């Protein structure tokens, strides 16, 4: 996606980038930080192929979860993030989307080995409460909500590692990351529980990145990561086929239930088509 779709640190006005069919009956919103931006490549191709509209609302390093905002880059409290988040949610509500996909660098904001935020990182409890507040605001749109599990973070520049390994004649597997070092085991069950309790869907594509023990640096001859925690565009593009079965029942189910009163109160997963 174009770099200007992911707005910078001091910007507060949400930027909506539109992909696929601009006049489509179904609108899917991708909401989040640069880790959400990774999914814009496969989602845009699905939108074009399947005739729906994708709208991205993205801000670098700013959590969708309603947590106290601090910027390690600016080294200060960061009201621009909170203001963007509130304005973005309001604009998403006005779009009346069929579906909202939420994705963020969860472990980067929460205390633990993945965060660079030091004392400004939040506890798991604060993360859970902040995520719940944001999802409840998004639920008021009556859209289906998909919370995507964050992609693994190897913690070092994998592309550089591969280049060095090849230069030295070493195996590329030298740059693989143990799963325990790349995926926070505590955040995923927490986020799944929050999503489930709020009638949202939790989407976990970590099996596309990692097996039970290892997150390889290359898969099917494609470099997985372009740096220490973002996937390459080529690998992201491959994920369209894995995202589609997750999205399809949610997109179908919502269209069917729009004829009926939309506030049935049933979690989306209870829809017969969503199995």
């Amino acid at each position: 996606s174009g770099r200007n779709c992911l707005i910078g640190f001091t910007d507060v006005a949400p930027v909506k980038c539109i992909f696929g069919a601009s006049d489509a009956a179904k609108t899917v919103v991708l909401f989040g930080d640069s880790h959400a931006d990774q999914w814009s490549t496969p989602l845009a191709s699905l939108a074009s192929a399947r005739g729906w509209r994708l709208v991205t609302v993205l801000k670098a390093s700013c959590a969708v979860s309603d947590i106290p905002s601090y910027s390690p880059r600016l080294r200060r409290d960061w009201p621009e993030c909170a203001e963007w988040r509130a304005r973005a949610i309001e604009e998403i509500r006005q779009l009346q989307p069929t579906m909202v996909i939420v994705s963020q660098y969860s472990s980067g904001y929460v205390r633990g080995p993945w965060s660079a935020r030091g004392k400004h990182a939040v506890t798991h409890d604060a993360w859970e409460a902040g995520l719940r507040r944001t999802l409840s605001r998004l639920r008021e749109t009556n859209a289906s909500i998909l919370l995507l599990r964050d992609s693994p973070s190897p913690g070092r520049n994998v592309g550089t590692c591969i280049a060095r390994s090849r230069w030295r004649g070493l195996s590329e597997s030298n740059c693989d990351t143990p799963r325990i070092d790349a995926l926070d085991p505590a955040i995923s069950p927490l986020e799944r529980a929050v999503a489930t309790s709020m009638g949202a869907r939790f989407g976990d594509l970590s099996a596309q990145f990692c097996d039970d023990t290892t997150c390889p640096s290359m898969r099917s001859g494609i470099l997985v990561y372009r740096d220490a925690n973002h996937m390459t565009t080529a690998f992201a593009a491959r994920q369209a086929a894995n995202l589609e079965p997750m999205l399809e029942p949610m997109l179908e189910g919502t269209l069917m239930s729009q004829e009926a009163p939309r506030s049935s109160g049933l979690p989306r997963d209870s829809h017969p088509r969503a199995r």
Side-chain angles (χ1 to χ4, degrees), residues 10-109:
T10 55
D11 299 322
V12 294
V15 169
K16 298 192 287 282
C17 287
I18 299 171
F19 304 87
S22 56
D23 57 347
K26 303 177 195 178
T27 298
V28 175
V29 172
L30 175 65
F31 181 35
D33 56 16
S34 64
H35 279 219
D37 187 33
Q38 305 181 101
W39 301 105
S40 59
T41 299
L43 287 169
S45 68
L46 284 174
S48 299
R50 298 289 174 256
W52 38 269
R53 176 170 68 150
L54 172 70
V55 180
T56 65
V57 186
L58 306 165
K59 180 171 171 68
S61 299
C62 180
V64 167
S65 297
D66 181 12
I67 56 168
S69 300
Y70 174 83
S71 170
R73 187 77 60 91
L74 301 175
R75 297 201 182 103
R76 62 167 170 79
D77 285 337
W78 194 25
E80 295 95 331
C81 172
E83 186 182 337
W84 169 82
R85 183 193 303 123
R87 288 171 65 170
I89 290 170
E90 193 45 52
E91 291 196 20
I92 290 168
R93 289 165 64 144
Q94 287 167 16
L95 284 171
Q96 296 190 296
T98 316
M99 182 176 180
V100 179
I101 300 172
V102 173
S103 167
Q104 52 191 338
Y105 182 23
S106 303
S107 53
Y109 301 107

Side-chain angles (χ1 to χ4, degrees), residues 150-167:
D150 190 25
S151 54
S153 294
R156 58 174 170 171
N157 191 316
V158 174
T160 307
C161 177
I162 293 260
R164 285 186 182 144
S165 295
R166 285 176 179 160
W167 184 73

Side-chain angles (χ1 to χ4, degrees), residues 43-270:
L43 287 169
S45 68
L46 284 174
S48 299
R50 298 289 174 256
W52 38 269
R53 176 170 68 150
L54 172 70
V55 180
T56 65
V57 186
L58 306 165
K59 180 171 171 68
S61 299
C62 180
V64 167
S65 297
D66 181 12
I67 56 168
S69 300
Y70 174 83
S71 170
R73 187 77 60 91
L74 301 175
R75 297 201 182 103
R76 62 167 170 79
D77 285 337
W78 194 25
E80 295 95 331
C81 172
E83 186 182 337
W84 169 82
R85 183 193 303 123
R87 288 171 65 170
I89 290 170
E90 193 45 52
E91 291 196 20
I92 290 168
R93 289 165 64 144
Q94 287 167 16
L95 284 171
Q96 296 190 296
T98 316
M99 182 176 180
V100 179
I101 300 172
V102 173
S103 167
Q104 52 191 338
Y105 182 23
S106 303
S107 53
Y109 301 107
V110 179
R111 277 176 207 164
W114 291 270
S115 181
R117 288 169 183 253
K119 69 179 196 292
H120 299 282
V122 300
T123 63
H124 281 85
D125 285 350
W127 183 253
E128 178 178 357
L131 179 61
R132 198 173 283 282
R133 279 194 294 276
T134 294
L135 290 186
S136 75
R137 288 189 199 121
L138 292 172
R139 281 225 58 187
E140 290 165 17
T141 63
N142 286 316
S144 293
I145 297 172
L146 173 65
L147 177 63
L148 278 181
R149 182 180 188 175
D150 190 25
S151 54
S153 294
R156 58 174 170 171
N157 191 316
V158 174
T160 307
C161 177
I162 293 260
R164 285 186 182 144
S165 295
R166 285 176 179 160
W167 184 73
R168 293 184 185 140
L170 300 171
S171 162
E172 287 164 353
S173 64
N174 210 37
C175 303
D176 296 353
T177 309
R179 184 185 175 103
I180 193 80
D181 294 339
L183 282 166
D184 182 333
I187 283 186
S188 179
L190 179 157
E191 291 190 338
R192 184 186 293 275
V194 170
T196 305
S197 74
M198 304 199 71
R201 186 91 177 261
F202 185 73
D204 185 352
L205 286 170
S206 54
Q208 304 303 326
F209 296 83
C210 312
D211 60 28
D212 290 343
T213 59
T214 309
C215 302
S217 50
M218 306 279 295
R219 292 202 71 152
S220 311
I222 292 179
L223 180 66
V224 178
Y225 307 98
R226 65 177 163 84
D227 57 18
N229 61 58
H230 295 90
M231 57 179 136
T232 59
T233 307
F235 186 75
R238 285 231 159 159
Q239 300 312 310
N242 302 310
L243 278 168
E244 186 170 28
M246 210 177 267
L247 308 183
E248 207 48 49
M250 298 179 76
L251 282 168
E252 293 303 314
T254 46
L255 266 197
M256 286 175 66
S257 62
Q258 271 170 16
E259 276 92 69
R262 295 180 74 186
S263 57
S264 66
L266 285 172
R268 289 284 173 209
D269 279 0
S270 67

